[in-house]
Amino acid sequence: MTDDTTTGVPTTVDRGRFPDAVTPWEDPAWRAEALAWVTEGLAAHRLTETGARKVRLRPWSVLVRLTVAGPTTVWFKAVPPSAAFEAGLTEALARWVPERVLTPLAVEAPRGWTLTPDGGPVLWDVLQGLEGRAVDPRYWEEPLRQYAAMQRTLAPYADAIEALGVPTARPRALPALFDRLVAENTALTREDRTALEELRPRVANWCEELASSGVADSLDHADLHEKQLFAPVGGRYAFFDWGDALVGHPFSSLLVPALAARERCGPEVLPRLRDAYLEPWTGGGVTTAGLRRAVSLAWRLAPLGRAASWGRMFPVPPGGPAVPGDAEAAHWLRELAVAPPL
């Protein structure tokens, strides 16, 4: 633990597996300005820092856990310019679906800053607390029902969400995204590029079929893993961390939680998980077979959104340390060739 030279507050810094990542936290002027904004935001809610800070630095975010007087902690988050939309989106979601998200204490949308209360334990914490006991294979079913219901509620807001700066990944826009991701990626091998070039016509066909599925575009979290939703309060789950979000076919959201459930419980959980997710989408004029086909197509194309999200990093000065991203994006591009399990 070290003292922050800006304020003298004891501060612990966690860089995880990215010890050389460059973030704005290293800039004393930026840090002073951000912490002054935090202090102002806390004061607006009659809160004051009372103890140590825990700072988590990643190439895609600065996250600070603030100790305040009262029953809970507060979190400050800053994201790169390419993901600055997250702040405005977080604020908008608190208006549109307040029962499904946390209401921020303060937002500075142009700079991508948010100040939010703690939401309690996340789903991952609950699973870790099982201490060797078997995980109920249904553990993702109810969260996905509630998440899908939220997506359906948000479908009329798709254009408004895009206007906030959330990147578009609508099905008919995906072929152009595919071309850009392949052209810009430095980690793809010659063999990768040949395989992707051969796959390109099929990708275009899948995109067109998905666009015609009869399901409206909506918000896609795009990284809904077990640390991105809070344990239920009164039976309700709350979702957070929208830095990878996209406007596109909502069913692409199923990929990440389904992979997590498959890893924990085996592939036999997938059909039930799919059907639980699809329950809120029934009655919209699309048959069950049509919805399931859309799931398969969206699963196949969801890696494009995952690959795109790895480009949302803090900029690195010329000559600075390498920032991960291309290798991870290349992995997801290769996944386009893998047949979906559903």
Side-chain angles (χ1 to χ4, degrees):
M1 182 175 290
T2 61
D3 287 346
D4 186 331
T5 56
T6 305
T7 61
V9 176
T11 302
T12 301
V13 177
D14 164 26
R15 294 181 176 272
R17 60 187 179 94
F18 305 98
D20 298 323
V22 176
T23 73
W25 184 260
E26 287 79 32
D27 180 350
W30 182 94
R31 193 165 66 247
E33 186 175 5
L35 293 174
W37 180 82
V38 166
T39 299
E40 181 180 347
L42 292 174
H45 295 271
R46 299 183 179 180
L47 298 172
T48 306
E49 273 196 274
T50 59
R53 297 182 189 126
K54 293 184 178 180
V55 181
R56 195 195 75 162
L57 302 180
R58 299 293 187 268
W60 55 85
S61 68
V62 171
L63 190 64
V64 184
R65 185 181 187 272
L66 304 152
T67 305
V68 299
T72 187
T73 55
V74 172
W75 297 86
F76 165 70
K77 185 176 185 181
V79 294
S82 56
F85 64 81
E86 182 182 2
L89 176 60
T90 299
E91 186 176 43
L93 291 176
R95 297 195 306 271
W96 297 332
V97 285
E99 71 283 3
R100 300 296 182 202
V101 298
L102 295 180
T103 298
L105 301 174
V107 169
E108 180 67 25
R111 290 188 284 192
W113 293 355
T114 55
L115 194 65
T116 56
D118 187 76
V122 296
L123 179 59
W124 187 86
D125 295 327
V126 174
L127 298 174
Q128 292 300 105
L130 294 176
E131 298 178 347
R133 287 173 289 163
V135 174
D136 185 335
R138 300 170 296 178
Y139 79 103
W140 260 112
E141 291 181 17
E142 184 56 27
L144 281 174
R145 287 188 190 96
Q146 296 187 22
Y147 173 75
M150 179 185 70
Q151 286 184 297
R152 193 162 186 182
T153 298
L154 289 171
Y157 296 96
D159 290 344
I161 294 169
E162 189 173 345
L164 292 171
V166 178
T168 183
R170 298 175 190 261
R172 289 192 173 95
L174 290 179
L177 177 62
F178 172 94
D179 292 341
R180 178 176 67 81
L181 291 171
V182 171
E184 294 177 355
N185 192 286
T186 62
L188 292 170
T189 66
R190 181 179 300 176
E191 291 76 13
D192 290 331
R193 293 183 185 280
T194 298
L196 288 167
E197 182 179 352
E198 293 174 353
L199 190 64
R200 173 61 164 77
R202 298 178 67 196
V203 168
N205 290 337
W206 296 330
C207 292
E208 185 58 36
E209 185 180 353
L210 187 60
S212 303
S213 65
V215 177
D217 294 336
S218 186
L219 180 65
D220 172 12
H221 185 289
D223 192 26
L224 188 60
H225 57 71
E226 294 159 354
K227 294 183 179 180
Q228 308 284 43
L229 69 159
F230 296 109
V233 176
R236 290 186 175 182
Y237 289 86
F239 307 93
F240 69 100
D241 199 345
W242 300 95
D244 292 332
L246 301 162
V247 176
H249 198 285
F251 293 5
S252 293
S253 288
L254 186 59
L255 174 68
V256 172
L259 291 176
R262 184 175 68 178
E263 183 175 349
R264 283 189 184 271
C265 302
E268 62 274 11
V269 304
L270 294 181
R272 286 188 53 164
L273 201 64
R274 173 200 60 200
D275 292 346
Y277 174 77
L278 287 178
E279 283 180 23
W281 296 101
T282 59
V286 183
T287 65
T288 298
L291 290 172
R292 289 181 173 179
R293 174 58 178 166
V295 164
S296 181
L297 291 164
W299 181 298
R300 191 95 190 223
L301 294 166
L304 286 169
R306 301 294 302 124
S309 70
W310 279 100
R312 301 175 203 170
M313 304 283 191
F314 288 116
V316 176
V323 174
D326 272 8
E328 289 84 353
H331 160 77
W332 285 108
L333 289 171
R334 296 183 193 104
E335 287 293 300
L336 290 165
V338 179
L342 289 170

